[in-house]
Amino acid sequence: MKKKVYFFLVVLTILNSSIVSINTTNASEDKKEVQIKMNLVHTYITELGEEVNVEFNRSIMQDNQVYTAEDEIWFGFTVDVADYRLYDPFLGQPPQENVWYTDTPDLLGIYNETRIIGAMNVYLDDIDLGLSSIQMFFGYNTTQDIIITLEEGWHYLTIIAAEYVSDLSHNIFYWKYDKDQIKFYVSELDINKPPEIKQAKNVCNVKAVPKTIEELSNPFEWSIEEIRPYTAIPDGQIGNIVQTLHRSKDDASIENYFNLTNSDLELKEFYGSVIYTDENHMGQGIFYWWINDGELVDEYETSFQLNKGNNYINFAAIGFTTRVNFTFVELNMMVEFNSRTYKIQNDVSVIPFDLTGIIIAIGILSIVSTLFIRKKHN
C-alpha cells in the first residue's frame, strides 16, 4: 500500500512540475522590443479659462494608432493650468498666485479669481517623462525628439494637470485636476489589426501610507526652503521594476510611503511677490493612483483589475514647494509632482497546458511506471 502511495505522489509531482514548466515557458517568451522616435510638438493655452484643462491634440495623434519601427510618433497637447512656467515674466505677465492674492472682492465679499496655482506632468506607461523631458517654459512652443525603446504591444501616453483653487470667498481651498490619455500599439512589423486587450482574473492591491519626513529614506529638513512632495517605497519592496504574475490566483501588491504639506494656506506679499507665511501654512497636497488609461483615484487603499499582458500602475504625490527667484532665495509658491511607477506583467497562460506538455507528462509517467514494474518483478 505504501508503495502505491509513494508511486502516486512521485507521478503527481513530476506531472505538476512538467505543467508548471510548460506554463512558464509559454508565458515567458521573449518580448520583441522596438526602437521608436517620438516627436513632441506642444501648444500651450496661456490665457486661463474657467478651470484646469489638458487635452491631447488628436489631429496630430489619434487613439488606437499602430506604429512600427519605421514610423515616427508625433504628438502634442494643449494645457490650461495656473503654472508660472506658462508665463513670461519679461513680458510683464504676473504669475496667477499674484493675480489671485491681489484680487479684490465686491460688496458681497465675492472674488473674481479662484484659480491659484498648479502644475502638469507627462507619463509614458511606467515612465515619468517629467517636465525636464518636454522642456516646458514660459509658453514657448518647442519641438523635441524622444528616442525610446518600447516593447511590442499596447502603450499609454498620459498627461495630468492639477491645480489648487478656492471658493468665491477665498476661504475654502481644494484641488481640481484634469487628465487625458492616448492608447497606441507598437509592432515590429506592419499588422492589419492589433490584438484586443483582455481582462485578467488577477488584481493589484495598492496602499498609500502617509509618513513623516523623519520616517522616510533620505529625509530632508522640514523648512520652507526644503519642503516638497516626496514618495518612497518600503524596504524590501520592488520599485520601478517589472513584477510578473504566472498564475491566475496570484495578485500583485504595491505599497507607497509619501509626505505632503498638510495645512491651511496663508500667503503674504514680499517685494512684489506672493510667498508663504511659513512652513506650517503651505496648503494641503493630494495624491492619485491610476492604472493604464483608467481614471485617477485618491484612495489610500484600493484594488485595480489587471489586464492580460502588461499593466502600468502609477502613484503621483502632488503638493507645494518653493522656487528660486532671480534675486532672492525664494519662498514663492510652486506645485510639484513626485511619482512612483510600476509595471505589472500578467503572463498567466490562457490554456493550463498544451499538447507538448501532455506528451512530456505521459512520457515521464510511462518511464516511472516501467521502473516500478521492473522493481516489483525483481
Side-chain angles (χ1 to χ4, degrees):
M1 182 65 182
K2 288 183 179 180
K3 290 183 178 180
K4 290 182 178 180
V5 173
Y6 292 150
F7 173 76
F8 174 76
L9 290 176
V10 170
V11 172
L12 184 63
T13 301
I14 295 173
L15 182 60
N16 183 64
S17 300
S18 177
I19 292 172
V20 170
S21 175
I22 294 299
N23 280 339
T24 304
T25 303
N26 287 343
S28 304
E29 291 179 356
D30 291 338
K31 301 292 191 303
K32 296 179 181 178
E33 294 189 339
V34 182
Q35 189 176 70
I36 289 286
K37 182 179 181 182
M38 304 186 71
N39 301 305
L40 169 64
V41 182
H42 49 263
T43 305
Y44 295 121
I45 303 174
T46 55
E47 295 292 333
L48 295 181
E50 293 295 322
E51 61 182 11
V52 61
N53 176 262
V54 287
E55 185 176 4
F56 282 105
N57 187 337
R58 283 172 171 77
S59 66
I60 300 175
M61 180 182 183
Q62 297 179 356
D63 294 284
N64 302 315
Q65 282 190 243
V66 179
Y67 298 94
T68 68
E70 304 301 321
D71 297 327
E72 293 184 358
I73 301 177
W74 289 84
F75 71 99
F77 50 81
T78 58
V79 57
D80 180 355
V81 61
D83 189 326
Y84 83 98
R85 284 162 293 195
L86 296 179
Y87 299 86
D88 191 343
F90 300 107
L91 298 179
Q93 294 175 295
Q96 179 61 19
E97 65 266 26
N98 280 28
V99 175
W100 179 88
Y101 183 79
T102 58
D103 189 24
T104 55
D106 61 17
L107 296 177
L108 298 176
I110 301 301
Y111 292 83
N112 290 320
E113 297 291 339
T114 59
R115 304 177 66 172
I116 307 173
I117 190 170
M120 56 158 286
N121 209 31
V122 180
Y123 301 85
L124 173 62
D125 298 335
D126 58 334
I127 304 170
D128 181 351
L129 293 179
L131 299 184
S132 60
S133 297
I134 65 172
Q135 299 177 7
M136 178 176 120
F137 62 98
F138 302 145
Y140 293 116
N141 292 330
T142 61
T143 300
Q144 297 134 55
D145 297 338
I146 303 172
I147 306 297
I148 193 165
T149 299
L150 297 177
E151 191 175 296
E152 189 171 67
W154 287 103
H155 297 274
Y156 306 90
L157 190 61
T158 304
I159 181 171
I160 297 174
E163 190 173 273
Y164 208 46
V165 302
S166 74
D167 65 346
L168 292 174
S169 67
H170 280 198
N171 290 319
I172 300 174
F173 302 94
Y174 54 97
W175 286 91
K176 297 197 76 171
Y177 66 88
D178 194 29
K179 170 180 176 284
D180 194 20
Q181 61 280 314
I182 285 184
K183 180 180 67 177
F184 62 97
Y185 192 86
V186 171
S187 175
E188 185 179 37
L189 304 173
D190 288 330
I191 57 175
N192 295 326
K193 184 180 180 181
E196 293 182 4
I197 296 176
K198 296 182 178 180
Q199 194 176 85
K201 294 181 179 180
N202 317 65
V203 300
C204 181
N205 301 305
V206 298
K207 183 178 182 180
V209 182
K211 295 283 186 177
T212 65
I213 288 300
E214 292 76 19
E215 295 176 303
L216 295 173
S217 58
N218 301 317
F220 52 84
E221 183 182 356
W222 186 259
S223 65
I224 203 164
E225 293 86 5
E226 296 292 334
I227 294 175
R228 60 190 182 274
Y230 190 77
T231 62
I233 59 174
D235 292 339
Q237 178 178 283
I238 299 175
N240 299 68
I241 299 175
V242 177
Q243 298 184 38
T244 303
L245 304 178
H246 288 300
R247 302 184 302 175
S248 60
K249 66 179 182 179
D250 292 338
D251 294 328
S253 181
I254 293 172
E255 186 172 344
N256 267 312
Y257 295 160
F258 73 97
N259 182 273
L260 294 166
T261 56
N262 186 25
S263 58
D264 296 331
L265 178 66
E266 290 185 10
L267 304 175
K268 64 181 180 181
E269 190 267 342
F270 180 75
Y271 287 94
S273 297
V274 176
I275 63 171
Y276 307 109
T277 56
D278 57 58
E279 64 269 19
N280 296 314
H281 295 87
M282 294 177 64
Q284 296 187 356
I286 190 69
F287 65 85
Y288 295 110
W289 294 97
W290 73 96
I291 181 171
N292 300 331
D293 55 350
E295 296 301 316
L296 300 181
V297 179
D298 60 351
E299 300 288 342
Y300 285 97
E301 294 187 56
T302 191
S303 295
F304 293 111
Q305 190 71 47
L306 296 173
N307 293 328
K308 295 179 179 179
N310 292 336
N311 297 265
Y312 306 100
I313 295 178
N314 300 274
F315 177 85
I318 308 167
F320 296 98
T321 184
T322 54
R323 70 175 187 262
V324 178
N325 189 291
F326 295 107
T327 308
F328 306 99
V329 176
E330 271 294 350
L331 309 179
N332 290 72
M333 299 180 68
M334 181 176 172
V335 168
E336 186 177 277
F337 282 69
N338 190 268
S339 306
R340 292 282 169 179
T341 61
Y342 300 87
K343 179 180 177 182
I344 309 298
Q345 190 168 272
N346 191 311
D347 270 353
V348 177
S349 179
V350 178
I351 304 173
F353 50 87
D354 59 12
L355 181 60
T356 306
I358 295 174
I359 294 173
I360 293 175
I362 292 175
I364 295 174
L365 179 60
S366 300
I367 294 171
V368 174
S369 300
T370 302
L371 292 175
F372 269 88
I373 291 171
R374 287 181 178 177
K375 185 176 181 181
K376 184 177 180 180
H377 284 295
N378 293 336

